[in-house]
Amino acid sequence: MRFEPYHIDGADRPSRWLVTCDHAANTVPDFVNGGDLGLPPADMARHIAYDPGARGVAQALAKALDGPMIASNFSRLVIDPNRGEDDPTLLMKLYDGSIIPANRHAGPEERKERLDRLYRPYHAALAELAARRDDTIIVSIHSFTKQLRGRLPRPWHVGILYASDTRLTRPLLARLAQEEDICTGDNEPYTGQLPGDAIDRHALRHNRPNALIELRNDLISNHEDQIHWAQRLAPMLQEAAQSAGI
C-alpha cells in the first residue's frame, strides 16, 4: 500500500475555517530506516515524536466549524512540517534528552528524500486547501507536555500562539480570559515567532487571519476530552472572528 504523507477530513465542507494539525502522527514510513528511528516505543509515544491528542481535537474542531482539516501522517522526528526548509531543527538529532539514532548521520540526500516524499506534499495539499476561498481563517492545533525533563511544571491548560498578525488571537485570548477554569498562556509555552513555520508560510504571507492553539496533552488524552475541548473552542473562535470583524 502506498504511503500517504497527509490525511484530509471534510475537503468539501464549505466554511472559511481551515484546521491544521502539523504533528498529528508518530508514524515512521518504511523508506526511513525500515520504519524505525531506533527509539524505544516509550519515546515514540511521547511528545517528542508527535502531539498526543491533537489530531482528535483538530478533527472534531473542523467538524464543529464545518471546515476541512489536514493532518500530517509522519512523525516530526522524521522531518518537522512546522519548520522552514532552512531551519536547523527541521531534522532533529536530539530532542528532550533522547538521541534519535536514525537521524544521527542523516545527510543531504536523506534530508532531500524526506522533504520530497513527506514535507513538500503535506505543504502543497495545505496550500491548496487554504486557497479554496479568499477569506480563509487558519487554526493550527498542537499539544504540549505538562513538564519537560528537568523543567518546572507548566501551569497553562491552553496556549495561544501568534506572530505579527493578532486579529484573531487578541479577541480569542480575551474570550478565554472569561473562563475561570482555564489557565491560558499568551504566546506560552512557546512563542509564535518562528519564521518559515506552517503559519508563517500559509497564513502570514497571504494575510490570512490565524491562530495556533496549544492544548496540554494530559487534558486531551482520550476521545471524550478531545471532543469536549473542540466543542468548547469552536464557538469561542467564531465569537473572536466576529468580534475582530474578519
Side-chain angles (χ1 to χ4, degrees), residues 9-230:
D9 271 357
D12 296 329
R13 290 180 190 144
S15 87
R16 64 188 299 200
W17 297 92
L18 169 60
V19 180
T20 69
C21 192
D22 300 320
H23 299 146
N26 58 359
T27 310
V28 181
D30 287 343
F31 70 84
V32 178
N33 201 47
D36 187 350
L37 292 175
L39 288 169
D43 269 347
M44 290 304 297
R46 292 205 297 132
H47 71 283
I48 66 170
Y50 74 125
D51 283 353
R55 178 170 176 163
V57 175
Q59 287 177 311
L61 181 63
K63 186 175 182 180
L65 293 170
D66 201 25
M69 186 278 304
I70 182 169
S72 68
N73 193 30
F74 51 92
S75 172
R76 65 165 151 224
L77 294 180
V78 175
I79 196 159
D80 194 334
N82 197 36
R83 298 291 184 272
E85 290 196 18
D86 58 351
D87 192 303
T89 64
L90 180 71
L91 202 160
M92 294 289 284
K93 302 190 177 187
L94 175 70
Y95 198 140
D96 193 23
S98 294
I99 295 171
I100 320 303
N103 290 353
R104 203 169 179 185
H105 303 294
E109 289 186 7
E110 177 74 16
R111 180 179 178 278
K112 184 179 184 303
E113 182 177 26
R114 298 186 196 186
L115 281 168
D116 288 345
R117 297 181 68 171
L118 302 170
Y119 179 104
R120 288 169 179 155
Y122 171 74
H123 281 289
L126 201 167
E128 184 175 344
L129 284 172
R132 80 199 192 289
R133 290 182 56 141
D134 293 334
D135 60 349
T136 296
I137 300 176
I138 296 179
V139 179
S140 184
I141 300 296
H142 292 252
S143 71
F144 65 95
T145 188
K146 187 173 183 179
Q147 185 174 15
L148 292 174
R149 288 176 176 173
R151 307 282 185 88
L152 291 172
R154 292 161 162 167
W156 311 285
H157 302 117
V158 181
I160 304 300
L161 274 57
Y162 54 88
S164 57
D165 183 356
T166 61
R167 286 174 292 174
L168 181 62
T169 53
R170 283 300 174 198
L172 180 58
L173 282 163
R175 179 63 185 82
L176 280 160
Q178 299 173 24
E179 303 295 306
E180 294 183 358
D181 61 331
I182 299 179
C183 178
T184 304
D186 183 338
N187 252 351
E188 298 284 2
Y190 323 103
T191 175
Q193 298 279 354
L194 189 61
D197 70 0
I199 287 290
D200 182 27
R201 182 170 181 164
H202 299 285
L204 298 181
R205 297 179 191 178
H206 301 273
N207 196 35
R208 293 176 180 131
N210 64 89
L212 192 155
I213 301 176
E214 290 270 2
L215 291 154
R216 209 175 72 199
N217 60 31
D218 63 308
L219 302 178
I220 52 171
S221 61
N222 60 63
H223 180 69
E224 291 74 19
D225 288 339
Q226 292 160 16
I227 298 293
H228 167 78
W229 277 99

